[in-house]
Amino acid sequence: MKKRSIISLIVFAGILAACGDQEAESLSATNYESKIFATDQKESLDLQETGNEEEENKEESNEATEVESTQETEENVATKKEVKEEPEENSTSEAVEKESETEEEIESKEEPEPEPEQKPTYETIHHTRGALTVDGSTGSTVQTDAGTFTVEASLKNIQTLQSGPIQVQIKSASKISGEITEPSLAGVAGENVGYIQLDAIVTNSSEDSVLFYLDNTRLDSGSQSFYANEMFSGSGRGYGDLQPYTEHHITLFYMMDGANVGDIYSIYGLTDAPTDQASGATLGDPMKFQFSFTGA
C-alpha cells in the first residue's frame, strides 16, 4: 500500500511537473507570440506612420506642384495676353495709319495740288549802242571806226534801282576822251571830244506796257547838268515804250560840251517816274543814284 501510494505520488508529481512544463512552454509560447504580435503591431504602426508621412509629403509636393503650375499658368496667360495685346496695338496703329492715308488720299483727290507758278519768259532787246561806243578798262586806249579814244576812268556794276515794275541796273559808267576821225561825226561833234558813256539794263516785270524813259535821266556834277545826246545815243529818243516782260540793254552818251571830262568826279542821277502806258497812272517814284570816279 505504501509503495502504491508512493508510486502514485511520484506519478502525480511527475504529471504535475509535466503539466508545469507544458504550462511554462505554453506561457513562453504565449509570451513569444505576444512579443511577435507586438513587434508586428509596431512594424505595422511604423509602416502606417511612414505611409502617412509619404502621403503627407506627396500631398505637400502635389500642393507645391499645383501652386507652381498655377503660377506658370498665370504667367502663361499674362504672356499670351501681352502677346495678344501687342498685335492689337499694332493693328490699331496700322488701322489709324491706313485711315489717315485714306483721308490724305481723299483730300488729295478732293483738293488737287495747285500747279506751280510758271515764271514769265523775258524778251531781251539790245538797242543800238551808237558810233561813240567804247569798251575798256581805266587807262586803256581803244581804236574804233569813229576814232581813237582813251578811257579816263571806268566803273562796273555800279547800282541796281527799283521803282514799281521797273528795274534799272547801271552796268557801267566811263569817262572817255578822244579824237574823232570819221568826217561825218567830226563835223557834228568836233574833232576832240569828252563824254560819259552810261550802260544800263532796264527791265519791265509787269504784264502791261510801261512808259519809262531812261534817256530822260539827268546827270549832275557840281553845278553842271548833262542830258543824253539824242544823236549819239544809239537810235536817239524812244527807249521808253517798254513792253511786258522785256529787258532792254541801252547805252547813253552825255557830251561835256566845253567842260573838261577830267574835272568830272561825282555824278548824281535822277530818272523819270514809270507810268502805265494805257492809263497814264504813275507806277512808282523817280529813281536817284550816285557814284564817284575817284579811285576808278
Side-chain angles (χ1 to χ4, degrees), residues 17-42:
C19 289
D21 290 337
Q22 286 180 355
E23 285 179 2
E25 286 178 3
S26 64
L27 284 174
S28 61
T30 302
N31 291 333
Y32 179 74
E33 289 176 0
S34 297
K35 285 180 183 180
I36 291 172
F37 177 76
T39 303
D40 292 339
Q41 287 292 327
K42 189 177 181 181

Side-chain angles (χ1 to χ4, degrees), residues 216-282:
N216 280 348
T217 298
R218 185 182 82 238
L219 298 185
D220 293 323
S221 180
S223 60
Q224 294 179 303
S225 295
F226 307 98
Y227 292 90
N229 185 282
E230 293 185 20
M231 179 179 292
F232 298 124
S233 295
S235 57
R237 295 179 67 85
Y239 296 114
D241 184 7
L242 309 179
Q243 297 302 307
Y245 305 120
T246 52
E247 181 182 277
H248 300 259
H249 293 248
I250 299 171
T251 300
L252 302 176
F253 297 91
Y254 293 84
M255 309 304 293
M256 293 295 99
D257 294 331
N260 186 355
V261 72
D263 296 333
I264 304 298
Y265 295 101
S266 295
I267 294 292
Y268 300 88
L270 180 66
T271 73
D272 284 344
T275 59
D276 184 86
Q277 188 180 47
S279 66
T282 302

Side-chain angles (χ1 to χ4, degrees), residues 37-51:
F37 177 76
T39 303
D40 292 339
Q41 287 292 327
K42 189 177 181 181
E43 289 178 357
S44 174
L45 289 173
D46 291 339
L47 289 172
Q48 189 174 356
E49 287 178 1
T50 304

Side-chain angles (χ1 to χ4, degrees), residues 92-128:
T92 304
S93 60
E94 288 176 2
V96 170
E97 286 178 3
K98 286 181 180 178
E99 192 173 331
S100 61
E101 286 176 2
T102 307
E103 287 176 359
E104 287 176 1
E105 288 175 1
I106 291 170
E107 286 177 2
S108 63
K109 286 180 182 177
E110 289 177 353
E111 297 178 7
E113 291 183 2
E115 294 182 3
E117 261 186 52
Q118 292 184 350
K119 292 184 179 180
T121 302
Y122 283 80
E123 180 186 0
T124 301
I125 300 170
H126 291 271
H127 295 271
T128 304

